[in-house]
Amino acid sequence: MRVVLTAGFDRALHAVALAELVRRAGHVVAAVLVVQPLQTRRVRQWLRQRGARSLFDAARRLLGASGARSADRRMEEFLRAHGIVERSLRQWCRRHAVELRRVRDLNAPTALEALRSARADGVLYAGGGILRRGFLEAARGRVLNAHSGPLPAVRGMNACEWSLLLGHAPSVTIHVIDEGLDTGGVLEQIRIERDSSDTIDTLRGKCVVAGVEGLLRALGPLEGPLPTRSNAASSARQCFTLAPVLRELLEEQLGRGGAS
Amino acid sequence: MTHPQLATLERYAAHRAAALAWLVRGIERGDGGSCAHFSIALGWSRPYPETTGYLIPTLLGSADEHPELQLRERAVGCGRWLLSIQNADGSWNGGLHPPKPNAKPSVFNTGQILKGMVALHRAGAGEPFLEAAARGACWLASTAQSDGLWGGGDYRASQTPSYYTHVLWPMLEVWLETGDAQVRTSAENGLATVLRRIRPNGVIARWGFGDQPRAFTHTIAYALRGVLESSRILGAWDEIGVRTRPALETLLRRAELGGGRLSGEFDDEWRATANFECLTGSAQTAINLLLWEHQEPDLRIVNGAAKLVDRVCSTQHLRHPLPGVRGAVAGSWPIWGRYMTLRYPNWAAKYHVDALSRLSTRVEREAEALCA
């Protein structure tokens, strides 16, 4: 099977892991679409949604400072455990002679052209922003995502955190991306095991690893008909980035071994 | 059992204390009332009976936590001043005090002052406050038309604006204390008229200052608050309060998408028509979101309210050398925006204090549940 992979930035470790494990599973990564992170529009949107403080962390990740967050450390361990040596999509694509296309936006004509010319059976989404109708049509609706929360209950951003705050067990949902926000048909719900030492960051790390593994398992179903959106898919209120006061509250809860 | 001290709650307490201290400075220069605003160019304004009235519940609500500010004494002082300028028919005049020679009784201002009178009565400050409130509410009921609204006496519009729900609510507060059925009936009639103005997208027609289809978030929030509080008093969330949900959902989403930056003005299709924020409107919207969340608990709503509050906090100077700016909240952000240009109104600080108090209480309740 031929798949296209998307990513929000070149050093996205989970995307590197996904690319390599897809290849090892005997499939073809036909192209990798990477969004250029340093665009005024993206930086402004980031600042609005997450605040200035998060920029420092984001900059470290963009520069590949592994261990910047424990979530990244967990992915680093995952890469080592699987003997994956590349730490950027650029390295991985060069080594395996896969086309890497840097785009300003996944919905831009250049991205759609690359997607069509790849003649892929499906797309594995590993970041890069909201997908519009044009991209979904070019992919014939065959785009899969790993969402770090239970769907349809927890849609949107910071899903791992919101799962805990809203009283849901942490989980990852493998689902089809459609025109709604986290509303596409669900392929698999993966429960994340918690332990008493978990923090928000470690749980996010577990979710990312589970998401990579779940997307790999979804390659089988990707060859057949995909599930469609359920009636309840868009009924839940959308989640946005956590305000500092609720983040502190959640950290306190986790510190006390609470939250679901 | 104690709950954890969250750093953000401590920060909120500092912002609230600074805003209260600023309000006290405005009262000290208010000749009995509270100055309407501070301007860097013109200094403190004359006192404003309308906002002095609704400032009183805010002062009383923080009195125990800030004994050093003598907020209860100041609230009673403001109340006595308002009693001294009440008209013989029970109304209060519009505008700043002293009024212009041609000043007329004001429906809206009378309504806002009722809140202070009722709050003082409930705080045990004395019978005169309830008597004044009763007379004010009677005047409102007696001057209302058959639809429960008022033909004249409006601020800028040709018809009674929908934000006059902010008059209907205090009328119902008075009814709670006096049992005056005429006051309740009149308020319910007005409420029914405004509810008929609600469009499918949640917009309440004529909720702005003038006749244009656009409105500052300040008056949008007034209109919604009036409905929310009236539904609370009447125990009619499912019939009345729930009608605010589409508008509140939209405001919540806009607040989240902007990371707490809410456009200061919207038209009747929810298009942002301002390139500034109306900070008092943002604080008021946070309060409305929390009132809604009280009925339909969901931390996602609290999250949006917190972002609005955080945003207003980020514009508040806590250490400014000018006492008129230190702790104040600007009308617009940037401060040269069209709403209360270059001024720091006392109602912006009041709503900021109220929003901080409600949000802190809500988060503390969640934190306490942790320890239960």
Side-chain angles (χ1 to χ4, degrees):
Chain A
M1 186 164 57
R2 293 170 65 82
V3 298
V4 165
L5 193 70
T6 74
F9 58 104
D10 182 47
R11 295 175 192 266
L13 297 184
H14 64 293
V16 174
L18 198 52
E20 176 60 11
L21 294 177
V22 165
R23 188 191 69 80
R24 289 183 191 175
H27 303 290
V28 174
V29 178
V32 176
L33 305 178
V34 181
V35 177
Q36 294 169 349
L38 292 176
Q39 298 173 47
T40 311
R41 186 175 54 84
R42 282 190 85 186
V43 172
R44 194 183 299 147
Q45 189 180 8
W46 181 284
L47 276 172
R48 280 197 167 189
Q49 291 183 338
R50 305 177 197 219
R53 273 185 227 168
S54 67
L55 263 190
F56 179 69
D57 188 27
R60 291 192 68 197
R61 294 186 71 209
L62 285 176
L63 295 169
S66 61
R69 303 185 312 169
S70 56
D72 293 331
R73 286 197 293 274
R74 187 160 188 95
M75 184 46 69
E76 183 72 37
E77 288 166 15
F78 182 82
L79 289 168
R80 277 202 298 272
H82 284 81
I84 300 171
V85 295
E86 294 84 7
R87 291 296 179 269
S88 76
L89 288 164
R90 191 167 55 111
Q91 288 173 358
W92 185 87
C93 286
R94 190 186 299 150
R95 178 166 177 182
H96 299 287
V98 171
E99 181 191 13
L100 181 140
R101 186 74 70 97
R102 293 179 196 280
V103 294
R104 288 183 65 80
D105 184 332
L106 288 175
N107 305 292
T110 49
L112 303 191
E113 181 196 313
L115 176 57
R116 288 194 192 98
S117 62
R119 299 191 316 280
D121 299 300
V123 176
L124 297 182
Y125 178 86
I130 291 172
L131 301 180
R132 307 285 177 203
R133 179 181 291 176
F135 186 98
L136 298 175
E137 284 177 353
R140 292 171 292 113
R142 308 185 74 75
V143 187
L144 300 185
N145 178 42
H147 175 74
S148 297
L151 290 177
V154 182
R155 302 193 299 128
M157 303 175 79
N158 286 181
C160 178
E161 292 90 323
W162 277 113
S163 302
L164 299 165
L165 277 173
L166 297 174
H168 298 278
S171 58
V172 170
T173 306
I174 306 299
H175 70 101
V176 178
I177 293 184
D178 66 6
E179 284 188 57
L181 189 92
D182 299 326
T183 52
V186 171
L187 283 97
E188 186 185 4
Q189 197 100 257
I190 306 159
R191 179 84 179 249
I192 303 297
E193 292 304 321
R194 281 182 54 189
D195 59 60
S196 57
S197 64
D198 270 332
T199 62
I200 294 174
D201 224 18
T202 61
L203 277 170
R204 284 182 80 135
K206 288 182 181 179
C207 285
V208 173
V209 168
V212 168
E213 293 170 338
L215 283 172
L216 281 172
R217 283 193 296 277
L219 286 172
L222 190 55
E223 289 181 298
L226 294 172
T228 52
R229 156 197 305 221
S230 75
N231 290 335
S234 58
S235 59
R237 184 169 286 128
Q238 187 180 336
C239 299
F240 291 89
T241 51
L242 274 187
V245 72
L246 290 190
R247 180 167 293 280
E248 285 172 29
L249 187 68
L250 178 58
E251 281 166 354
E252 190 69 34
Q253 272 180 312
L254 286 170
R256 290 169 181 243
S260 291
Chain B
M1 191 174 281
T2 58
H3 57 76
Q5 273 304 312
L6 304 179
T8 303
L9 289 184
E10 288 175 16
R11 186 166 57 81
Y12 287 166
H15 281 273
R16 186 165 155 236
L20 283 165
W22 182 86
L23 286 169
V24 165
R25 287 195 283 279
I27 292 169
E28 286 171 345
R29 288 159 182 80
D31 298 325
S34 167
C35 295
H37 47 77
F38 177 81
S39 147
I40 293 173
L42 302 171
W44 293 95
S45 75
R46 288 181 287 143
Y48 195 14
E50 174 201 329
T51 56
T52 299
Y54 69 37
L55 191 56
I56 289 170
T58 301
L59 300 175
L60 292 171
S62 298
D64 290 344
E65 277 181 73
H66 292 278
E68 77 285 1
L69 295 175
Q70 298 177 303
L71 298 176
R72 183 183 162 85
E73 292 76 5
R74 293 179 199 281
V76 172
C78 286
R80 290 199 180 119
W81 177 73
L82 289 167
L83 289 180
S84 74
I85 61 170
Q86 187 175 22
N87 296 325
D89 60 6
S91 68
W92 278 269
N93 288 339
L96 305 187
H97 191 81
K100 293 174 184 167
N102 59 347
K104 293 176 184 170
S106 165
V107 168
F108 193 77
N109 294 18
T110 298
Q112 307 324 297
I113 293 168
L114 294 187
K115 291 179 201 157
M117 298 292 109
V118 171
L120 285 166
H121 163 70
R122 288 177 180 159
E127 276 303 301
F129 296 113
L130 183 60
E131 286 168 18
R135 289 199 299 124
C138 275
W139 179 78
L140 289 170
S142 65
T143 53
Q145 299 169 337
S146 57
D147 65 358
L149 300 181
W150 295 267
D154 299 335
Y155 176 44
R156 287 183 200 168
S158 59
Q159 295 184 47
T160 306
S162 298
Y163 67 80
Y164 273 46
T165 56
H166 225 253
V167 176
L168 307 173
W169 156 35
M171 288 173 73
L172 290 169
E173 295 281 9
V174 175
W175 164 75
L176 276 180
E177 301 304 318
T178 65
D180 186 335
Q182 190 197 350
V183 169
R184 174 180 170 148
T185 303
S186 180
E188 284 183 314
N189 286 344
L191 199 58
T193 302
V194 173
L195 291 177
R196 282 195 291 275
R197 295 178 178 178
I198 297 180
R199 296 176 178 166
N201 67 356
V203 165
I204 307 179
R206 298 195 193 99
W207 62 6
F209 275 135
D211 291 324
Q212 307 97 325
R214 62 189 195 197
F216 290 125
T217 49
H218 172 53
T219 59
I220 290 173
Y222 266 166
L224 295 171
R225 177 85 184 266
V227 177
L228 287 164
E229 297 284 7
S230 298
S231 85
R232 171 185 58 80
I233 294 169
L234 296 170
W237 171 257
D238 290 336
E239 297 79 31
I240 297 173
V242 79
R243 305 277 307 275
T244 62
R245 197 194 282 146
L248 292 168
E249 282 280 11
T250 301
L251 288 163
L252 171 64
R253 185 171 173 77
R254 295 301 178 93
E256 285 283 15
L257 288 171
R261 291 172 175 84
L262 188 64
S263 171
E265 190 181 63
F266 290 98
D267 71 9
D268 53 8
E269 295 296 330
W270 287 113
R271 285 180 292 244
T273 52
N275 56 2
F276 61 88
E277 295 158 67
C278 170
L279 295 178
T280 183
S282 295
Q284 289 170 261
T285 300
I287 294 167
N288 286 341
L289 292 176
L290 293 167
L291 287 169
W292 171 33
E293 202 268 344
H294 185 71
Q295 295 292 332
E296 298 178 354
D298 186 338
L299 285 173
R300 285 170 285 204
I301 302 174
V302 177
N303 198 61
K307 285 184 184 170
L308 287 169
V309 168
D310 287 343
R311 174 60 181 161
V312 178
C313 285
S314 75
T315 68
Q316 190 187 12
H317 293 284
L318 300 188
R319 292 185 187 82
H320 198 283
L322 273 180
V325 176
R326 193 187 318 132
V329 176
S332 289
W333 199 263
I335 196 168
W336 52 84
R338 269 189 290 115
Y339 182 74
M340 293 299 293
T341 310
L342 300 174
R343 283 170 289 177
Y344 296 87
N346 68 354
W347 56 97
K350 172 238 166 27
Y351 284 115
H352 187 43
V353 169
D354 290 350
L356 284 163
S357 301
R358 280 184 185 274
L359 178 60
S360 299
T361 302
R362 176 65 183 91
V363 174
E364 279 166 8
R365 203 174 80 218
E366 200 70 25
E368 276 162 10
L370 268 180
C371 308

Short mmCIF file of all heavy atoms in Angstrom, two decimals, chain A residues 1-2 7-8 40 63 66 68 80 135 166 179 193-194 199 218 223 233 242 244-245:
data_model
loop_
_atom_site.label_atom_id
_atom_site.label_comp_id
_atom_site.label_asym_id
_atom_site.label_seq_id
_atom_site.Cartn_x
_atom_site.Cartn_y
_atom_site.Cartn_z
N MET A 1 0.84 -1.18 0.00
CA MET A 1 0.00 0.00 0.00
C MET A 1 0.89 1.25 0.00
O MET A 1 1.93 1.29 0.63
CB MET A 1 -0.89 0.00 1.25
CG MET A 1 -1.87 1.13 1.23
SD MET A 1 -3.21 0.92 2.41
CE MET A 1 -2.34 0.76 3.92
N ARG A 2 0.42 2.28 -0.70
CA ARG A 2 1.16 3.54 -0.77
C ARG A 2 0.49 4.56 0.16
O ARG A 2 -0.73 4.76 0.07
CB ARG A 2 1.15 4.09 -2.19
CG ARG A 2 1.93 3.23 -3.19
CD ARG A 2 1.67 3.71 -4.60
NE ARG A 2 2.18 5.05 -4.85
CZ ARG A 2 3.43 5.33 -5.15
NH1 ARG A 2 4.32 4.35 -5.24
NH2 ARG A 2 3.82 6.57 -5.37
N ALA A 7 3.25 16.21 8.33
CA ALA A 7 3.86 16.58 9.62
C ALA A 7 3.86 18.10 9.75
O ALA A 7 3.88 18.81 8.74
CB ALA A 7 5.29 16.05 9.71
N GLY A 8 3.85 18.54 11.00
CA GLY A 8 3.82 19.98 11.27
C GLY A 8 5.19 20.61 11.24
O GLY A 8 5.32 21.83 11.08
N THR A 40 4.57 33.76 9.55
CA THR A 40 3.96 34.79 10.42
C THR A 40 2.58 34.35 10.89
O THR A 40 2.23 34.46 12.06
CB THR A 40 3.84 36.11 9.64
OG1 THR A 40 5.09 36.37 9.02
CG2 THR A 40 3.46 37.26 10.55
N LEU A 63 13.98 22.96 16.96
CA LEU A 63 15.42 22.81 16.77
C LEU A 63 15.90 21.41 17.14
O LEU A 63 17.08 21.12 17.10
CB LEU A 63 16.17 23.85 17.62
CG LEU A 63 15.92 25.31 17.17
CD1 LEU A 63 16.46 26.29 18.19
CD2 LEU A 63 16.54 25.55 15.80
N SER A 66 15.92 17.24 21.92
CA SER A 66 15.21 16.09 22.48
C SER A 66 15.25 16.22 24.00
O SER A 66 16.23 16.69 24.57
CB SER A 66 15.84 14.79 22.04
OG SER A 66 17.15 14.74 22.48
N ALA A 68 13.22 18.11 25.51
CA ALA A 68 12.63 19.39 25.88
C ALA A 68 11.38 19.16 26.72
O ALA A 68 11.09 19.91 27.63
CB ALA A 68 12.26 20.19 24.63
N ARG A 80 14.52 4.66 19.98
CA ARG A 80 15.69 3.83 20.31
C ARG A 80 15.31 2.36 20.41
O ARG A 80 16.00 1.49 19.91
CB ARG A 80 16.31 4.31 21.62
CG ARG A 80 17.27 5.50 21.43
CD ARG A 80 18.24 5.60 22.61
NE ARG A 80 17.56 5.84 23.87
CZ ARG A 80 17.26 7.04 24.33
NH1 ARG A 80 17.59 8.11 23.64
NH2 ARG A 80 16.64 7.18 25.48
N PHE A 135 -8.05 19.15 0.27
CA PHE A 135 -7.09 18.11 0.64
C PHE A 135 -7.82 16.77 0.81
O PHE A 135 -7.37 15.74 0.32
CB PHE A 135 -6.39 18.49 1.94
CG PHE A 135 -5.27 17.55 2.32
CD1 PHE A 135 -3.96 17.87 2.01
CD2 PHE A 135 -5.53 16.34 2.97
CE1 PHE A 135 -2.92 17.00 2.35
CE2 PHE A 135 -4.51 15.47 3.31
CZ PHE A 135 -3.20 15.80 3.00
N LEU A 166 -12.55 16.32 32.24
CA LEU A 166 -13.97 16.05 32.01
C LEU A 166 -14.38 14.67 32.50
O LEU A 166 -15.51 14.24 32.28
CB LEU A 166 -14.30 16.22 30.52
CG LEU A 166 -14.09 17.64 29.98
CD1 LEU A 166 -14.30 17.67 28.46
CD2 LEU A 166 -15.02 18.64 30.66
N GLU A 179 -14.57 16.73 7.25
CA GLU A 179 -14.57 18.20 7.24
C GLU A 179 -14.86 18.82 8.60
O GLU A 179 -14.65 20.00 8.80
CB GLU A 179 -15.56 18.72 6.20
CG GLU A 179 -15.00 18.59 4.79
CD GLU A 179 -15.88 19.28 3.78
OE1 GLU A 179 -16.13 20.48 3.92
OE2 GLU A 179 -16.34 18.59 2.87
N GLU A 193 -2.94 3.37 29.88
CA GLU A 193 -2.78 3.00 31.29
C GLU A 193 -2.07 4.11 32.05
O GLU A 193 -1.09 4.68 31.56
CB GLU A 193 -1.96 1.70 31.40
CG GLU A 193 -2.68 0.48 30.86
CD GLU A 193 -4.04 0.24 31.50
OE1 GLU A 193 -4.15 0.44 32.74
OE2 GLU A 193 -4.99 -0.13 30.78
N ARG A 194 -2.60 4.42 33.20
CA ARG A 194 -1.99 5.47 34.02
C ARG A 194 -1.27 4.88 35.21
O ARG A 194 -1.64 3.81 35.69
CB ARG A 194 -3.08 6.40 34.54
CG ARG A 194 -3.55 7.39 33.55
CD ARG A 194 -4.59 8.27 34.18
NE ARG A 194 -4.10 8.88 35.41
CZ ARG A 194 -4.86 9.56 36.26
NH1 ARG A 194 -6.14 9.69 36.02
NH2 ARG A 194 -4.36 10.10 37.35
N THR A 199 2.35 12.64 34.89
CA THR A 199 2.05 14.06 34.81
C THR A 199 1.33 14.29 33.48
O THR A 199 1.18 13.34 32.69
CB THR A 199 3.35 14.90 34.81
OG1 THR A 199 4.09 14.54 33.63
CG2 THR A 199 4.19 14.64 36.04
N ALA A 218 -3.94 0.63 11.82
CA ALA A 218 -5.04 1.09 10.96
C ALA A 218 -4.69 0.95 9.47
O ALA A 218 -5.56 1.17 8.63
CB ALA A 218 -5.37 2.53 11.28
N GLU A 223 -7.13 -0.18 3.78
CA GLU A 223 -7.26 -0.79 2.45
C GLU A 223 -8.72 -1.06 2.09
O GLU A 223 -9.04 -1.28 0.93
CB GLU A 223 -6.46 -2.09 2.39
CG GLU A 223 -4.96 -1.82 2.40
CD GLU A 223 -4.11 -3.08 2.33
OE1 GLU A 223 -4.21 -3.89 3.26
OE2 GLU A 223 -3.38 -3.24 1.35
N ALA A 233 -21.22 12.65 16.53
CA ALA A 233 -19.83 13.07 16.34
C ALA A 233 -19.58 14.54 16.69
O ALA A 233 -18.55 14.86 17.27
CB ALA A 233 -19.41 12.80 14.90
N LEU A 242 -5.84 24.70 27.24
CA LEU A 242 -6.20 24.94 28.64
C LEU A 242 -5.72 26.30 29.11
O LEU A 242 -4.57 26.69 28.86
CB LEU A 242 -5.51 23.89 29.53
CG LEU A 242 -6.20 22.56 29.75
CD1 LEU A 242 -5.42 21.78 30.80
CD2 LEU A 242 -7.62 22.72 30.17
N PRO A 244 -4.30 28.75 31.96
CA PRO A 244 -3.31 28.41 33.00
C PRO A 244 -3.95 27.92 34.30
O PRO A 244 -3.46 26.98 34.92
CB PRO A 244 -2.57 29.73 33.21
CG PRO A 244 -2.67 30.43 31.91
CD PRO A 244 -4.02 30.07 31.35
N VAL A 245 -5.04 28.52 34.71
CA VAL A 245 -5.61 28.14 36.01
C VAL A 245 -6.13 26.70 35.97
O VAL A 245 -6.00 25.96 36.96
CB VAL A 245 -6.70 29.15 36.46
CG1 VAL A 245 -7.98 29.01 35.64
CG2 VAL A 245 -7.00 29.00 37.93
#
